[in-house]
Amino acid sequence: MSEMKDYYTIKKMNGYYRIGCAEKSFGYLITGKDKAALIDTGSGFGDLKSAIRQVTDLPLYIINTHGHGDHTGGNAQFDEKIWIHSSDMDLCRQHCSYAMRKESVERAKHSKNYETGEVCNILPEDFDEEDYCTRGTGNLVPVKEGDIFALDGATLEIIFTPGHTQGEISVLYKEKNLMFTGDTTGSFVWLFDKDSTDIVTYIKTLEKMIELNAKEYIGAHPPRVMYLDDLLLYKHAAEEADYSK
């Protein structure tokens, strides 16, 4: 069952909450007994902080899987530290700059539904463009491979998974063996951007994730969870693709 929290749709899943919105970028909320963790903050067009606080009032860890604006744009709504890999801090600053936030707003005003071809404005009715564009990154602090966030009943481990960006991380929910992968896996993965790694690095990342053998691999964009067979297909595609074309 889904519940609307103003701009956001929050759906209770198996041990976590999935936070969806018109931006088509999911965030994930995991609650323990004494703390909670939010994985990615989306573009932040809506009041994400209020949506989260309608679900839990626990002290909050906030983790960015990488620095792109559709995962970090909501950071500045929170007073808490924002945990992100050091290799993506500058990328986050770039994507949360006034100019790039302005670009995100313009895209949102002319968002296209690729199934219907319809173009519409997905911004909330009370959206304040100038306030949004001047928000910045939030309080960024570095996180690294192996760091643990203990929520009392839920243990999250940081896994370094570069490819889509230099500092991309995934978050392993150890008790349930669920891996939140950001943009490391999905129906499409950008590897052509100047901030991406080479294909060899990305294949090594996939091998690492396959070896972990998570029960589910949960991406930031596809609504369907992924499984080990999906990662094996991604690895095969990465190895077989002709990058000269």
mmCIF file of all heavy atoms in Angstrom, residues 113-141:
data_model
loop_
_atom_site.group_PDB
_atom_site.id
_atom_site.type_symbol
_atom_site.label_atom_id
_atom_site.label_comp_id
_atom_site.label_asym_id
_atom_site.label_seq_id
_atom_site.Cartn_x
_atom_site.Cartn_y
_atom_site.Cartn_z
ATOM 1 N N ASN A 113 6.980 12.286 -20.417
ATOM 2 C CA ASN A 113 6.620 10.903 -20.147
ATOM 3 C C ASN A 113 6.935 10.101 -21.408
ATOM 4 O O ASN A 113 6.265 10.261 -22.437
ATOM 5 C CB ASN A 113 5.130 10.805 -19.792
ATOM 6 C CG ASN A 113 4.722 9.399 -19.396
ATOM 7 O OD1 ASN A 113 5.162 8.410 -19.985
ATOM 8 N ND2 ASN A 113 3.849 9.292 -18.410
ATOM 9 N N TYR A 114 7.964 9.253 -21.337
ATOM 10 C CA TYR A 114 8.427 8.567 -22.540
ATOM 11 C C TYR A 114 7.498 7.432 -22.965
ATOM 12 O O TYR A 114 7.647 6.877 -24.053
ATOM 13 C CB TYR A 114 9.860 8.063 -22.334
ATOM 14 C CG TYR A 114 10.853 9.198 -22.327
ATOM 15 C CD1 TYR A 114 11.330 9.724 -21.133
ATOM 16 C CD2 TYR A 114 11.282 9.780 -23.511
ATOM 17 C CE1 TYR A 114 12.223 10.783 -21.119
ATOM 18 C CE2 TYR A 114 12.169 10.843 -23.517
ATOM 19 C CZ TYR A 114 12.634 11.342 -22.321
ATOM 20 O OH TYR A 114 13.508 12.394 -22.320
ATOM 21 N N GLU A 115 6.538 7.079 -22.118
ATOM 22 C CA GLU A 115 5.546 6.072 -22.504
ATOM 23 C C GLU A 115 4.403 6.697 -23.296
ATOM 24 O O GLU A 115 3.896 6.118 -24.242
ATOM 25 C CB GLU A 115 5.013 5.362 -21.261
ATOM 26 C CG GLU A 115 6.066 4.514 -20.552
ATOM 27 C CD GLU A 115 5.493 3.821 -19.323
ATOM 28 O OE1 GLU A 115 4.293 4.022 -19.028
ATOM 29 O OE2 GLU A 115 6.253 3.082 -18.670
ATOM 30 N N THR A 116 3.990 7.926 -22.894
ATOM 31 C CA THR A 116 2.850 8.581 -23.539
ATOM 32 C C THR A 116 3.265 9.721 -24.467
ATOM 33 O O THR A 116 2.476 10.163 -25.308
ATOM 34 C CB THR A 116 1.896 9.145 -22.475
ATOM 35 O OG1 THR A 116 2.565 10.198 -21.751
ATOM 36 C CG2 THR A 116 1.476 8.050 -21.494
ATOM 37 N N GLY A 117 4.487 10.230 -24.300
ATOM 38 C CA GLY A 117 4.927 11.377 -25.080
ATOM 39 C C GLY A 117 4.471 12.702 -24.502
ATOM 40 O O GLY A 117 4.809 13.767 -25.016
ATOM 41 N N GLU A 118 3.706 12.663 -23.422
ATOM 42 C CA GLU A 118 3.166 13.874 -22.812
ATOM 43 C C GLU A 118 4.273 14.657 -22.114
ATOM 44 O O GLU A 118 5.136 14.090 -21.459
ATOM 45 C CB GLU A 118 2.081 13.496 -21.800
ATOM 46 C CG GLU A 118 1.472 14.697 -21.098
ATOM 47 C CD GLU A 118 0.487 14.280 -20.012
ATOM 48 O OE1 GLU A 118 0.403 13.070 -19.724
ATOM 49 O OE2 GLU A 118 -0.164 15.176 -19.450
ATOM 50 N N VAL A 119 4.231 15.977 -22.271
ATOM 51 C CA VAL A 119 5.173 16.872 -21.590
ATOM 52 C C VAL A 119 4.411 17.662 -20.533
ATOM 53 O O VAL A 119 3.342 18.217 -20.805
ATOM 54 C CB VAL A 119 5.849 17.828 -22.590
ATOM 55 C CG1 VAL A 119 6.740 18.832 -21.854
ATOM 56 C CG2 VAL A 119 6.663 17.048 -23.611
ATOM 57 N N CYS A 120 4.950 17.691 -19.304
ATOM 58 C CA CYS A 120 4.252 18.405 -18.238
ATOM 59 C C CYS A 120 5.247 18.970 -17.234
ATOM 60 O O CYS A 120 6.422 18.604 -17.220
ATOM 61 C CB CYS A 120 3.263 17.475 -17.534
ATOM 62 S SG CYS A 120 4.048 16.070 -16.715
ATOM 63 N N ASN A 121 4.767 19.846 -16.398
ATOM 64 C CA ASN A 121 5.545 20.443 -15.317
ATOM 65 C C ASN A 121 5.355 19.579 -14.073
ATOM 66 O O ASN A 121 4.237 19.445 -13.573
ATOM 67 C CB ASN A 121 5.048 21.870 -15.071
ATOM 68 C CG ASN A 121 5.859 22.603 -14.015
ATOM 69 O OD1 ASN A 121 6.622 22.015 -13.264
ATOM 70 N ND2 ASN A 121 5.684 23.918 -13.942
ATOM 71 N N ILE A 122 6.439 18.994 -13.567
ATOM 72 C CA ILE A 122 6.323 18.096 -12.412
ATOM 73 C C ILE A 122 6.646 18.783 -11.090
ATOM 74 O O ILE A 122 6.656 18.140 -10.042
ATOM 75 C CB ILE A 122 7.228 16.859 -12.576
ATOM 76 C CG1 ILE A 122 8.713 17.262 -12.584
ATOM 77 C CG2 ILE A 122 6.851 16.059 -13.817
ATOM 78 C CD1 ILE A 122 9.668 16.077 -12.484
ATOM 79 N N LEU A 123 6.888 20.087 -11.109
ATOM 80 C CA LEU A 123 7.237 20.800 -9.877
ATOM 81 C C LEU A 123 5.997 20.959 -8.987
ATOM 82 O O LEU A 123 4.881 21.101 -9.487
ATOM 83 C CB LEU A 123 7.803 22.179 -10.209
ATOM 84 C CG LEU A 123 9.132 22.178 -10.972
ATOM 85 C CD1 LEU A 123 9.471 23.590 -11.434
ATOM 86 C CD2 LEU A 123 10.255 21.616 -10.109
ATOM 87 N N PRO A 124 6.177 20.952 -7.672
ATOM 88 C CA PRO A 124 5.046 21.192 -6.768
ATOM 89 C C PRO A 124 4.445 22.575 -6.994
ATOM 90 O O PRO A 124 5.126 23.506 -7.455
ATOM 91 C CB PRO A 124 5.677 21.102 -5.375
ATOM 92 C CG PRO A 124 6.968 20.380 -5.565
ATOM 93 C CD PRO A 124 7.433 20.703 -6.943
ATOM 94 N N GLU A 125 3.176 22.738 -6.648
ATOM 95 C CA GLU A 125 2.485 24.008 -6.868
ATOM 96 C C GLU A 125 3.135 25.162 -6.104
ATOM 97 O O GLU A 125 3.167 26.293 -6.580
ATOM 98 C CB GLU A 125 1.014 23.879 -6.461
ATOM 99 C CG GLU A 125 0.193 23.000 -7.405
ATOM 100 C CD GLU A 125 -1.268 22.962 -7.016
ATOM 101 O OE1 GLU A 125 -1.658 23.705 -6.086
ATOM 102 O OE2 GLU A 125 -2.021 22.194 -7.642
ATOM 103 N N ASP A 126 3.647 24.888 -4.907
ATOM 104 C CA ASP A 126 4.219 25.944 -4.078
ATOM 105 C C ASP A 126 5.736 26.050 -4.230
ATOM 106 O O ASP A 126 6.425 26.598 -3.367
ATOM 107 C CB ASP A 126 3.863 25.720 -2.608
ATOM 108 C CG ASP A 126 4.387 24.368 -2.080
ATOM 109 O OD1 ASP A 126 4.850 23.545 -2.904
ATOM 110 O OD2 ASP A 126 4.330 24.141 -0.854
ATOM 111 N N PHE A 127 6.281 25.541 -5.330
ATOM 112 C CA PHE A 127 7.728 25.493 -5.528
ATOM 113 C C PHE A 127 8.315 26.899 -5.611
ATOM 114 O O PHE A 127 7.829 27.752 -6.363
ATOM 115 C CB PHE A 127 8.046 24.718 -6.811
ATOM 116 C CG PHE A 127 9.510 24.565 -7.093
ATOM 117 C CD1 PHE A 127 10.289 23.695 -6.350
ATOM 118 C CD2 PHE A 127 10.121 25.300 -8.103
ATOM 119 C CE1 PHE A 127 11.649 23.549 -6.598
ATOM 120 C CE2 PHE A 127 11.470 25.148 -8.372
ATOM 121 C CZ PHE A 127 12.230 24.284 -7.613
ATOM 122 N N ASP A 128 9.381 27.150 -4.833
ATOM 123 C CA ASP A 128 10.088 28.432 -4.815
ATOM 124 C C ASP A 128 11.414 28.248 -5.543
ATOM 125 O O ASP A 128 12.382 27.726 -4.983
ATOM 126 C CB ASP A 128 10.316 28.883 -3.366
ATOM 127 C CG ASP A 128 10.945 30.268 -3.260
ATOM 128 O OD1 ASP A 128 11.683 30.670 -4.179
ATOM 129 O OD2 ASP A 128 10.711 30.948 -2.235
ATOM 130 N N GLU A 129 11.472 28.684 -6.785
ATOM 131 C CA GLU A 129 12.633 28.425 -7.631
ATOM 132 C C GLU A 129 13.906 29.064 -7.100
ATOM 133 O O GLU A 129 14.964 28.434 -7.073
ATOM 134 C CB GLU A 129 12.357 28.907 -9.058
ATOM 135 C CG GLU A 129 13.476 28.608 -10.025
ATOM 136 C CD GLU A 129 13.087 28.899 -11.470
ATOM 137 O OE1 GLU A 129 11.878 28.879 -11.789
ATOM 138 O OE2 GLU A 129 14.012 29.136 -12.282
ATOM 139 N N GLU A 130 13.832 30.315 -6.682
ATOM 140 C CA GLU A 130 15.037 31.012 -6.222
ATOM 141 C C GLU A 130 15.585 30.360 -4.950
ATOM 142 O O GLU A 130 16.793 30.167 -4.813
ATOM 143 C CB GLU A 130 14.734 32.488 -5.979
ATOM 144 C CG GLU A 130 15.969 33.325 -5.656
ATOM 145 C CD GLU A 130 16.995 33.376 -6.788
ATOM 146 O OE1 GLU A 130 16.630 33.110 -7.953
ATOM 147 O OE2 GLU A 130 18.171 33.678 -6.493
ATOM 148 N N ASP A 131 14.697 30.010 -4.030
ATOM 149 C CA ASP A 131 15.135 29.334 -2.806
ATOM 150 C C ASP A 131 15.801 28.006 -3.143
ATOM 151 O O ASP A 131 16.862 27.676 -2.603
ATOM 152 C CB ASP A 131 13.932 29.102 -1.884
ATOM 153 C CG ASP A 131 14.308 28.255 -0.667
ATOM 154 O OD1 ASP A 131 15.059 28.747 0.179
ATOM 155 O OD2 ASP A 131 13.857 27.094 -0.597
ATOM 156 N N TYR A 132 15.203 27.245 -4.055
ATOM 157 C CA TYR A 132 15.754 25.947 -4.438
ATOM 158 C C TYR A 132 17.146 26.091 -5.035
ATOM 159 O O TYR A 132 18.059 25.323 -4.703
ATOM 160 C CB TYR A 132 14.818 25.260 -5.434
ATOM 161 C CG TYR A 132 15.347 23.964 -5.967
ATOM 162 C CD1 TYR A 132 15.263 22.793 -5.218
ATOM 163 C CD2 TYR A 132 15.955 23.889 -7.221
ATOM 164 C CE1 TYR A 132 15.761 21.592 -5.698
ATOM 165 C CE2 TYR A 132 16.459 22.695 -7.703
ATOM 166 C CZ TYR A 132 16.359 21.554 -6.943
ATOM 167 O OH TYR A 132 16.864 20.375 -7.421
ATOM 168 N N CYS A 133 17.324 27.057 -5.910
ATOM 169 C CA CYS A 133 18.584 27.183 -6.647
ATOM 170 C C CYS A 133 19.739 27.666 -5.778
ATOM 171 O O CYS A 133 20.907 27.526 -6.168
ATOM 172 C CB CYS A 133 18.404 28.116 -7.839
ATOM 173 S SG CYS A 133 17.365 27.416 -9.158
ATOM 174 N N THR A 134 19.443 28.211 -4.609
ATOM 175 C CA THR A 134 20.503 28.733 -3.741
ATOM 176 C C THR A 134 20.774 27.832 -2.534
ATOM 177 O O THR A 134 21.476 28.234 -1.610
ATOM 178 C CB THR A 134 20.129 30.143 -3.241
ATOM 179 O OG1 THR A 134 18.852 30.105 -2.579
ATOM 180 C CG2 THR A 134 20.058 31.130 -4.392
ATOM 181 N N ARG A 135 20.270 26.613 -2.529
ATOM 182 C CA ARG A 135 20.355 25.764 -1.336
ATOM 183 C C ARG A 135 21.728 25.140 -1.097
ATOM 184 O O ARG A 135 22.108 24.871 0.025
ATOM 185 C CB ARG A 135 19.310 24.639 -1.420
ATOM 186 C CG ARG A 135 17.910 25.116 -1.117
ATOM 187 C CD ARG A 135 16.923 23.982 -1.207
ATOM 188 N NE ARG A 135 15.562 24.441 -0.958
ATOM 189 C CZ ARG A 135 14.488 23.690 -1.150
ATOM 190 N NH1 ARG A 135 14.622 22.453 -1.601
ATOM 191 N NH2 ARG A 135 13.294 24.176 -0.893
ATOM 192 N N GLY A 136 22.469 24.810 -2.123
ATOM 193 C CA GLY A 136 23.770 24.189 -1.921
ATOM 194 C C GLY A 136 23.685 22.686 -1.668
ATOM 195 O O GLY A 136 22.709 22.023 -2.029
ATOM 196 N N THR A 137 24.711 22.152 -0.994
ATOM 197 C CA THR A 137 24.911 20.698 -0.904
ATOM 198 C C THR A 137 24.495 20.082 0.419
ATOM 199 O O THR A 137 24.426 18.857 0.530
ATOM 200 C CB THR A 137 26.396 20.357 -1.090
ATOM 201 O OG1 THR A 137 27.136 20.929 0.007
ATOM 202 C CG2 THR A 137 26.934 20.881 -2.398
ATOM 203 N N GLY A 138 24.272 20.896 1.438
ATOM 204 C CA GLY A 138 24.171 20.346 2.781
ATOM 205 C C GLY A 138 25.568 20.120 3.349
ATOM 206 O O GLY A 138 26.584 20.420 2.715
ATOM 207 N N ASN A 139 25.624 19.566 4.543
ATOM 208 C CA ASN A 139 26.887 19.394 5.274
ATOM 209 C C ASN A 139 27.558 18.075 4.885
ATOM 210 O O ASN A 139 27.340 17.040 5.516
ATOM 211 C CB ASN A 139 26.618 19.433 6.778
ATOM 212 C CG ASN A 139 27.875 19.273 7.608
ATOM 213 O OD1 ASN A 139 28.989 19.488 7.123
ATOM 214 N ND2 ASN A 139 27.706 18.889 8.865
ATOM 215 N N LEU A 140 28.383 18.108 3.837
ATOM 216 C CA LEU A 140 29.017 16.895 3.312
ATOM 217 C C LEU A 140 30.154 16.427 4.213
ATOM 218 O O LEU A 140 31.010 17.220 4.621
ATOM 219 C CB LEU A 140 29.570 17.141 1.909
ATOM 220 C CG LEU A 140 28.591 17.615 0.832
ATOM 221 C CD1 LEU A 140 29.322 17.747 -0.503
ATOM 222 C CD2 LEU A 140 27.397 16.671 0.701
ATOM 223 N N VAL A 141 30.167 15.124 4.482
ATOM 224 C CA VAL A 141 31.279 14.499 5.206
ATOM 225 C C VAL A 141 31.632 13.197 4.484
ATOM 226 O O VAL A 141 30.767 12.558 3.882
ATOM 227 C CB VAL A 141 30.937 14.221 6.681
ATOM 228 C CG1 VAL A 141 30.770 15.511 7.452
ATOM 229 C CG2 VAL A 141 29.689 13.374 6.804
#
